[in-house]
């Protein structure tokens, strides 16, 4: 008897079948990103002033700047000074803040001309800035008097608008895991893991070109899992090419995507046997062709114009005469910086989660990933090949990051490009893989896993906000009350906005807690991990789908 063909990817069906708890987690992540956007001082996100400047560049009629031709807008440079940006400056007090009604607009800070300050972000494709630029244009066009907004309001609005693209990540993690293990505790746990990472919410709450890449690779994770489990339809192949092509127009960290797509279709062909070889090859070729046509041309342009795939925008100079690259020294720096900046290194690595908190979170993630390979049983509907595919995105990003970082270190003796945000595009896949492993390890009480992870996530975010307030808003001798007062005084927005964001985050978290407890008390669902997923592909079902 032939098994039923695996269901094709239908986003509408995914949305309809999403439980309330996942919507609560998406709402909580949205509110948390707003809170981080309000809590971290303006321009203290990594390269934030450069990204703000590129939002001006993407709207200019002359097109994207050519090699070494972009210098920061003088108004942006002046606004960094007006906002009090100074790396390493002591914590701010409420008395230092300029009253909101006296803060000048951008056009009143400086002429609308180029400054002597170079901006190296021309090395990236422009698409990463488009969502924020479009959203900002819509808001300003619909708001009377927007041209007179204070400079910090404009940058603060950029932060809030740019965060919107990351709101679907808990949904994507849930749908991805549900494809492999059913709509049960494991899928919910994956959504919780995504929302629990303070580093993600911090990145989402700053002006950056990372957010769109994170969102697109998260979406592609869902697509490649459908491919690997037997969906070889032209429609899904076209979708894979479209999402992958758009991701290629964001940052060079997307360059691993063609290999990832090849791996997904190769896995589907291997599972389906001889009957699946031709359909998998055809669908894979379609996906790669669409991705190359949509986003691959940028990197071919770089090769033809600069002679390299990714031009280096910053000149780091020669190393000291006595410098010799030491692999052990470099790896030690990577091991010290990468975990902390992934979980929560806020601003210009000025405020960090304590090491015990980082270590505990890392252990939970590592145990889950190890369990996905070691604790799987034959009755589980997912396979170790699925787990390997899920981790393909973080592996690809890590390889590109480490290759570039070692190159700069070996040539110039500089330790750069070691930030955990570069691994965030793989977060959906990591969360799904870890959730599968943790569910396999917690077989006696799997329904309580999301609630336990949610409690841990709440602790992570609470600690993160305490660290941020202490570092940026509490001068020596000040307490948390004075710290909150300073935060409110420096904020671009009236206190009611900050209070509303905090209230929404608390309400979303409470909603998610209630939903996870209800799920835990109900026990395993019919379509949860015990029963497996609907349409779980076997070699015969994949062949039938082909």
């Amino acid at each position: 008897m032939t098994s039923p063909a695996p269901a094709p990817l239908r986003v509408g069906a995914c949305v309809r079948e999403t439980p309330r708890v996942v919507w609560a987690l998406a709402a909580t992540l949205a509110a948390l990103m707003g809170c981080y956007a309000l809590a971290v001082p303006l321009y203290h996100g990594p390269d934030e002033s450069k990204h703000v400047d590129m939002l001006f560049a993407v709207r200019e009629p002359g097109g994207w700047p050519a090699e070494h031709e972009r210098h920061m807008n003088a108004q942006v440079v002046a606004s960094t000074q007006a906002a009090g940006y100074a790396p390493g400056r002591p914590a701010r007090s409420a008395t230092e803040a300029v009253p909101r009604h006296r803060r000048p607009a951008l056009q009143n800070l400086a002429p609308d001309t180029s400054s002597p300050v170079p901006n190296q972000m021309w090395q990236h494709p422009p698409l990463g800035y488009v969502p924020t630029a479009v959203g900002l244009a819509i808001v300003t066009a619909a708001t009377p008097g927007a041209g007179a907004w204070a400079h910090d309001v404009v940058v603060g609005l950029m932060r809030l608008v740019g965060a919107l693209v990351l709101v679907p990540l808990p949904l994507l993690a849930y749908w991805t895991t549900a494809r492999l293990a059913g709509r049960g505790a494991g899928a919910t746990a994956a959504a919780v893991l995504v929302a629990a990472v303070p580093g993600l919410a911090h990145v989402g709450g700053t002006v950056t070109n990372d957010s769109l890449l994170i969102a697109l690779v998260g979406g592609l994770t869902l697509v490649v899992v459908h491919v690997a489990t037997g969906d070889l339809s032209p429609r899904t192949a076209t979708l894979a090419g479209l999402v992958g092509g758009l991701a290629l127009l964001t940052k060079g960290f997307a360059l691993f995507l063609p290999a990832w797509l090849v791996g997904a279709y190769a896995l589907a062909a291997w599972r389906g046997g001889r009957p699946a070889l031709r359909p998998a090859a055809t669908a894979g070729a379609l996906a790669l062709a669409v991705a190359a046509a949509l986003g691959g041309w940028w990197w071919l342009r770089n090769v033809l114009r600069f002679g390299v795939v990714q031009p280096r925008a910053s000149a780091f100079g020669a190393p000291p005469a006595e410098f010799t690259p030491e692999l052990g020294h470099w790896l030690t720096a990577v091991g010290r910086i990468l975990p902390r900046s992934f979980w929560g290194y806020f601003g210009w690595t000025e405020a960090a989660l304590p090491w015990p908190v980082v270590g505990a979170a890392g252990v939970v993630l590592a145990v889950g990933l190890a369990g996905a390979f070691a604790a799987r049983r034959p009755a589980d509907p997912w396979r170790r090949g699925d787990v390997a595919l899920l981790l393909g995105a973080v592996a690809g990003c890590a390889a590109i990051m480490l290759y570039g970082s070692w190159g700069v270190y070996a040539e110039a003796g500089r330790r750069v490009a070691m930030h955990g945000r570069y691994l965030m595009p793989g977060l959906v896949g990591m969360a799904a893989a870890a959730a599968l492993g943790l569910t396999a390890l917690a077989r006696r009480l799997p329904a309580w896993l999301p609630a336990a992870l949610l409690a841990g996530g709440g602790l992570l975010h609470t600690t993160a906000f305490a660290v941020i307030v202490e570092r940026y808003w509490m001068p020596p001798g000040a307490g948390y009350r004075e710290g909150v007062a300073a935060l409110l005084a420096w904020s671009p927005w009236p206190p009611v906005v900050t209070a509303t964001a905090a209230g929404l985050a608390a309400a979303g978290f409470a909603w998610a807690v209630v939903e996870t407890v209800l799920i835990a008390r109900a026990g395993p669902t019919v379509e949860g991990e015990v029963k497996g997923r609907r349409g779980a592909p076997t070699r015969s079902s994949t062949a039938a789908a082909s």
Side-chain angles (χ1 to χ4, degrees):
M1 180 177 178
T2 302
S3 301
L9 175 58
R10 294 285 188 269
V11 176
C14 290
V15 171
R16 288 191 298 272
E17 296 174 354
T18 303
R20 291 190 304 269
V21 62
V22 183
W23 293 110
L25 291 167
T28 303
L29 177 60
L32 283 170
M33 289 188 291
C35 290
Y36 282 94
L38 295 167
V40 177
L42 295 184
Y43 293 114
H44 278 261
D47 290 316
E48 190 167 21
S49 63
K50 306 292 181 68
H51 294 306
V52 169
D53 180 63
M54 296 313 289
L55 282 168
F56 285 83
V58 81
R59 297 189 295 176
E60 293 174 358
W64 200 242
E67 180 182 11
H68 299 298
E69 289 186 1
R70 182 69 186 181
H71 284 73
M72 290 183 62
N73 186 287
Q75 294 177 349
V76 176
V77 174
S79 73
T80 64
Q81 300 166 357
Y85 170 69
R89 68 168 288 173
R92 311 173 187 208
S93 66
T95 57
E96 297 177 276
V98 176
R100 266 180 288 274
H101 67 277
R102 290 173 46 195
R103 298 173 192 176
L106 279 168
Q107 60 267 27
N108 296 330
L109 286 171
D112 187 12
T113 58
S114 294
S115 75
V117 182
N119 189 343
Q120 77 276 18
M121 294 302 165
W122 58 265
Q123 67 179 322
H124 300 299
L127 187 63
Y129 301 100
V130 170
T132 303
V134 171
L136 182 65
I138 292 173
V139 173
T140 54
T143 307
W149 280 344
H151 63 92
D152 57 340
V153 171
V154 175
V155 178
L157 188 59
M158 289 178 179
R159 283 183 165 189
L160 297 178
V161 171
L164 295 177
V165 299
L166 294 180
V167 174
L169 285 189
L171 303 173
L172 293 170
Y174 177 86
W175 297 338
T176 298
T177 315
R179 174 69 175 185
L180 296 171
R183 293 183 284 117
T188 304
V192 174
L193 285 171
V194 167
V197 180
L200 173 70
H202 167 54
V203 169
T206 60
V207 182
T208 179
N209 63 348
D210 289 303
S211 295
L212 185 60
L213 176 63
I214 295 169
L216 289 171
V217 176
L220 192 58
T221 305
L222 172 64
V223 179
V224 299
V225 164
H226 272 260
V227 168
T229 52
D231 186 354
L232 302 179
S233 65
R235 179 180 176 277
T236 299
T238 302
L239 180 61
L242 289 173
V243 178
L246 290 173
L248 285 168
L249 288 177
T250 57
K251 297 189 76 167
F253 284 99
L255 288 170
F256 75 92
L257 292 179
W260 200 31
L261 288 173
V262 169
Y265 280 99
L267 184 58
W270 177 77
R271 287 175 170 173
R274 186 182 298 272
L277 289 177
R278 187 168 183 176
T282 302
L286 175 60
L288 291 173
V290 173
L294 185 57
W297 63 269
W298 176 272
W299 307 102
L300 177 61
R301 157 197 176 272
N302 282 351
V303 172
L304 297 176
R305 185 168 184 173
F306 307 119
V308 293
V309 174
Q310 173 71 74
R312 183 180 297 174
S314 300
F316 293 103
E322 67 279 4
F323 172 75
T324 300
E326 296 181 11
L327 180 61
H329 176 73
W330 176 76
L331 288 175
T332 300
V334 172
R336 185 179 69 254
I337 297 171
L338 199 59
R340 212 169 190 182
S341 57
F342 176 84
W343 290 105
Y345 224 155
F346 310 106
W348 267 114
T349 62
E350 297 155 323
L353 288 174
W355 268 115
V357 176
V358 173
V363 167
V364 172
L365 180 63
V367 168
L369 296 179
F373 289 102
R376 181 191 178 274
R377 297 180 181 179
D380 289 325
W382 48 276
R383 311 181 192 183
R384 293 185 179 89
D386 298 319
V387 178
L389 185 68
L390 288 170
L391 298 179
V394 69
C397 289
I400 293 172
M401 177 192 68
L402 295 175
Y403 174 81
S405 178
W406 170 258
V408 174
Y409 172 72
E411 294 174 16
R414 297 282 299 275
R415 292 179 299 180
V416 299
M418 296 179 179
H419 204 285
R421 73 183 189 277
Y422 298 138
L423 305 181
M424 293 293 178
L427 182 57
V428 167
M430 278 197 295
L436 293 175
L438 290 171
T439 307
L441 292 169
R443 292 183 186 276
R444 294 186 178 182
L445 293 171
W448 283 98
L449 178 62
L453 293 174
L454 188 59
L459 178 61
L460 283 174
H461 285 291
T462 301
T463 306
F465 282 115
V467 165
I468 290 170
V469 172
E470 290 173 2
R471 171 59 185 84
Y472 292 116
W473 308 111
M474 286 173 53
Y480 282 100
R481 177 177 296 181
E482 291 84 359
V484 172
L487 188 159
L488 295 175
W490 280 86
S491 174
W493 315 102
V496 66
V497 175
T498 303
T500 300
L504 289 174
F509 180 77
W511 179 20
V513 167
V514 170
E515 294 292 343
T516 55
V517 171
L518 290 175
I519 291 171
R521 294 182 65 182
T525 62
V526 174
E527 294 178 316
E529 284 71 17
V530 175
K531 294 292 184 180
R533 73 176 182 277
R534 181 181 301 170
T538 61
R539 293 181 67 88
S540 60
S541 68
T542 307
S546 305

